[in-house]
Amino acid sequence: MDTKALHTHLTVEQILQGPPRVFTVFLKNKTKCVGCFMQHFCTLKDVAETYQIPLEKLIQELEAVSAEES
């Protein structure tokens, strides 16, 4: 299974249920995702498009923070 395809379809809510520090990636990229009522619906792809963040960069940062937590 292609994990990158999987990541792009995860919602912000699903990501935030992961390691505690993943929220810092959203804050670092100046998104308003943490605490937003749309976090139940927005995917990582939506976040990248909305905030004009390269999707690869967003995924790499989330994976790096997740790896630190492990």
Side-chain angles (χ1 to χ4, degrees), residues 1-18:
M1 177 186 297
D2 182 6
T3 57
K4 290 191 190 326
L6 176 67
H7 286 301
T8 62
H9 291 88
L10 289 174
T11 64
V12 173
E13 179 180 49
Q14 290 170 313
I15 296 295
L16 291 174
Q17 289 174 356

Side-chain angles (χ1 to χ4, degrees), residues 1 7 13 32 36 39-41 56 58 61 68:
M1 177 186 297
H7 286 301
E13 179 180 49
K32 297 179 182 175
C36 177
Q39 73 183 16
H40 307 287
F41 310 104
E56 270 304 306
L58 188 58
E61 290 178 3
E68 289 172 8

Side-chain angles (χ1 to χ4, degrees), residues 12-69:
V12 173
E13 179 180 49
Q14 290 170 313
I15 296 295
L16 291 174
Q17 289 174 356
R21 291 193 47 229
V22 293
F23 80 95
T24 61
V25 173
F26 293 103
L27 297 178
K28 176 184 164 200
N29 285 288
K30 297 183 170 110
T31 72
K32 297 179 182 175
C33 297
V34 178
C36 177
F37 73 94
M38 291 297 291
Q39 73 183 16
H40 307 287
F41 310 104
C42 286
T43 64
L44 288 182
K45 185 177 178 185
D46 296 332
V47 172
E49 289 174 1
T50 300
Y51 291 97
Q52 298 179 347
I53 304 166
L55 184 56
E56 270 304 306
K57 175 183 179 273
L58 188 58
I59 290 171
Q60 287 173 352
E61 290 178 3
L62 288 166
E63 287 175 342
V65 169
S66 295
E68 289 172 8
E69 296 281 325

